[in-house]
């Protein structure tokens, strides 16, 4: 006959196992999906990290597909919140999409640190990207053929850059890259290169030029004196309510609590 103590021990073990399984079944992780601009990666990553640390039951996902893809994902319900580094176009708004400006971001004009050029006008930048200026010596630099690097079609950074420099559908690019990080890496490795990228993502391995004599920084972006800048936008559907966790994350991103996080990530909060 089985020892009574042994029976009690087995029963207790079974009870503990049942409790563990029940606990696992009852614990759920809520997911909020974001999709879009690669330029917003640092800002969204910082907000995600802060929010998840205070809300252990929530996971924020970020899919860096580019602004156009993020807007399309929001329109087709493939994500909760789309991310765009440009304002919505009128035809996108007619699809039932709504935009909320999260922050302002400068588009930095980047060269290799070895390049002595420090300042270009918007007009000169436009002429470089349309192939009218092809050598750095024509703008005060070395005798090197300019390697113009840009982003792919659908990129919010490209859309903003071409709109400001009035070069839409005219750019002559030596390299067309699909992410902010790729542009920065390519410029850092080529003394003849010029590129553009979100100021929030710029690192010490490249040099950000002054434009029209104004350096890109938080002050000049906020007062609009730096001419090459755009909005970081949260995209949602007007007629569809967000899920409870998605709405709470959205509210957090536009709250006063998020201001220092956005600033630390290199962007300028709207508030």
């Amino acid at each position: 006959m089985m020892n009574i103590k042994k029976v009690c021990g087995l029963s207790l073990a079974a009870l503990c196992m049942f409790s563990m399984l029940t606990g696992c079944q009852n614990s759920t992780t809520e997911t909020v999906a974001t999709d879009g601009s690669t330029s917003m990666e640092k800002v969204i990553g910082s907000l995600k990290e802060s929010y998840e640390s205070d809300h252990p039951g929530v996971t924020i996902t970020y899919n860096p597909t580019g602004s156009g893809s993020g807007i399309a994902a929001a329109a087709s319900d493939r994500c909760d919140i789309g991310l765009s580094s440009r304002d919505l176009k009128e035809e996108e708004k007619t699809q039932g999409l709504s935009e909320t400006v999260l922050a302002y971001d400068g588009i930095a004009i980047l060269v290799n640190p070895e390049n002595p050029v420090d300042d270009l006008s918007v007009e000169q930048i436009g002429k470089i990207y349309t192939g009218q200026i092809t050598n750095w010596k024509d703008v005060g630099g070395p005798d090197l053929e300019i390697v113009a690097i840009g982003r792919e079609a659908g990129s919010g950074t490209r859309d903003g850059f071409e709109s400001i420099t009035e070069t839409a559908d005219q750019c002559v690019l030596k390299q067309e890259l699909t992410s902010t990080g790729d542009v920065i890496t390519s410029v850092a490795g080529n003394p003849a290169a010029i590129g553009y990228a979100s100021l929030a993502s710029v690192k010490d391995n490249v040099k950000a030029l002054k434009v029209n004599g104004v350096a890109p920084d938080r002050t000049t972006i906020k007062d609009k004196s730096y001419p090459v800048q755009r909005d970081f936008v949260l995209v949602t559907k007007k007629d569809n309510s967000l899920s409870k966790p998605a709405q709470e994350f959205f509210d957090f991103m536009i709250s006063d609590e998020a201001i220092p996080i956005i600033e630390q990530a290199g962007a300028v909060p709207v508030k």
Side-chain angles (χ1 to χ4, degrees):
M1 187 173 181
M2 188 175 290
N3 186 284
I4 294 177
K5 288 185 178 180
K6 189 173 182 180
V7 172
C8 290
L10 289 172
S11 299
L12 183 60
L15 181 61
C16 290
M17 182 62 70
F18 177 78
S19 298
M20 290 173 63
L21 290 172
T22 304
C24 291
Q25 290 171 350
N26 289 338
S27 63
T28 57
T29 299
E30 297 174 305
T31 300
V32 178
T34 69
D35 189 312
S37 171
T38 63
S39 299
M40 294 175 68
E41 180 174 7
K42 191 172 181 181
V43 170
I44 296 301
S46 297
L47 291 168
K48 159 185 159 68
E49 182 179 355
S50 176
Y51 191 81
E52 286 179 339
S53 68
D54 292 334
H55 300 79
V58 179
T59 297
I60 312 296
T61 64
Y62 165 68
N63 191 18
T65 58
S67 296
S69 296
I71 292 167
S76 61
D77 296 319
R78 287 184 285 110
C79 72
D80 296 296
I81 303 168
L83 308 171
S84 175
S85 51
R86 66 166 172 82
D87 296 331
L88 291 179
K89 299 174 182 178
E90 286 305 315
E91 58 265 31
E92 291 165 339
K93 293 179 181 178
T94 60
Q95 296 174 20
L97 295 175
S98 177
E99 63 183 2
T100 302
V101 179
L102 174 67
Y104 307 122
D105 178 61
I107 299 176
I109 309 303
L110 306 175
V111 297
N112 187 279
E114 296 178 17
N115 193 326
V117 173
D118 291 316
D119 192 351
L120 291 173
S121 67
V122 171
E123 182 182 7
Q124 287 174 319
I125 295 166
K127 287 183 176 180
I128 287 172
Y129 271 87
T130 55
Q132 298 173 68
I133 297 175
T134 59
N135 196 297
W136 281 109
K137 68 181 181 180
D138 297 327
V139 289
D143 186 5
L144 282 175
E145 184 179 350
I146 297 173
V147 175
I149 298 173
R151 288 291 304 279
E152 82 287 0
S155 159
T157 309
R158 175 170 173 167
D159 186 89
F161 172 83
E162 292 185 350
S163 175
I164 294 163
T165 58
E166 299 182 351
T167 57
D169 302 319
Q170 303 173 61
C171 287
V172 181
L173 302 175
K174 294 292 178 67
Q175 293 183 53
E176 187 174 298
L177 303 176
T178 58
S179 77
T180 297
D182 288 343
V183 172
I184 292 171
T185 299
S186 294
V187 173
N190 189 341
I194 185 171
Y196 53 83
S198 165
L199 181 61
S201 302
V202 172
K203 302 174 182 177
D204 293 337
N205 58 347
V206 290
K207 181 170 71 173
L209 299 179
K210 294 179 182 177
V211 179
N212 292 355
V214 180
D217 58 37
R218 293 174 187 172
T219 301
T220 58
I221 291 168
K222 193 159 191 174
D223 67 16
K224 304 291 185 182
S225 59
Y226 180 71
V228 192
Q229 61 173 281
R230 44 50 189 295
D231 296 338
F232 278 169
V233 176
L234 305 177
V235 182
T236 52
K237 294 184 79 170
K238 290 179 182 177
D239 299 329
N240 285 19
S241 298
L242 291 172
S243 66
K244 185 174 182 292
Q247 185 64 59
E248 289 175 349
F249 180 57
F250 183 96
D251 292 341
F252 164 74
M253 288 193 288
I254 61 173
S255 70
D256 290 345
E257 186 181 354
I259 290 174
I261 301 169
I262 294 170
E263 289 178 333
Q264 186 66 31
V268 179
V270 170
K271 289 191 176 184

